[in-house]
Amino acid sequence: MDDYSDLVLGMLALAVAALLLVAGELYLVTRPEPPQTHAPAPPVVTSSAETIFCHVDFGA
């Protein structure tokens, strides 16, 4: 190898890539949990035959 500048630039690029990978992993590990934005589930509406077919007396 006549010119060591390519080797130095390659080592510098590897060091920068490793630093970015470590910084990204630290960010993912230490970031706060996102707030819950989901609304609570609506209540389950159940019905029976009595409520659907109720007796209405119109002749009273």
Side-chain angles (χ1 to χ4, degrees), residues 6-60:
D6 290 338
L7 178 63
V8 172
L9 286 175
M11 290 173 58
L12 180 63
L14 284 176
V16 169
L19 183 67
L20 288 175
L21 286 172
V22 170
E25 180 66 24
L26 285 175
Y27 169 73
L28 290 176
V29 169
T30 60
R31 67 179 175 179
E33 291 294 323
Q36 291 291 336
T37 58
H38 300 291
V44 177
V45 178
T46 59
S47 60
S48 64
E50 289 179 9
T51 58
I52 294 174
F53 303 107
C54 60
H55 176 72
V56 178
D57 188 14
F58 291 109

